[in-house]
Amino acid sequence: MIEHVRAGRPLVDCRLPQYVERGTIPGAVNIPHGEIVERMAELDAANPTVLFCNGPQCIATAQATEALLAAGWPAERLLYYRGGIHDWGTLGLP
């Protein structure tokens, strides 16, 4: 995950805006899970994209992933940071 962020690769925060306002992973764009299919054009299918949300207790990323796959997004281009913002912050990362 850290290498993905450092390389500037696509990173999507699937949480609702009110949660993202409290902080997110540097370089992440916010596309709430309920809007992911409508906003697919904002994603780059040529590069692996990491999706994340609050952490293991949150289902937003799972819902976004399911929606993208059902809409035909290539599975090999989706990565799921299961630890989410919870683990990111717990590790003391910015």
Side-chain angles (χ1 to χ4, degrees), residues 1-86:
M1 180 64 180
I2 291 171
E3 289 178 24
H4 191 90
V5 172
R6 284 185 180 152
R9 293 189 184 114
L11 183 62
V12 177
D13 188 333
C14 295
R15 299 176 299 152
L16 298 174
Q18 64 262 31
Y19 298 108
V20 177
E21 289 172 4
R22 299 178 195 161
T24 191
I25 297 173
V29 296
N30 178 227
I31 303 178
H33 64 283
E35 300 174 15
I36 198 82
V37 172
E38 295 85 29
R39 296 178 60 186
M40 276 177 30
E42 297 175 39
L43 303 175
D44 179 4
N47 289 302
T49 299
V50 171
L51 279 64
F52 71 93
C53 53
N54 285 313
Q57 75 285 1
C58 184
I59 61 169
T61 302
Q63 290 175 342
T65 300
E66 287 176 10
L68 284 171
L69 292 173
W73 195 266
E76 66 275 6
R77 296 292 182 205
L78 283 179
L79 303 169
Y80 183 178
Y81 178 44
R82 185 113 173 108
I85 198 70
H86 175 268

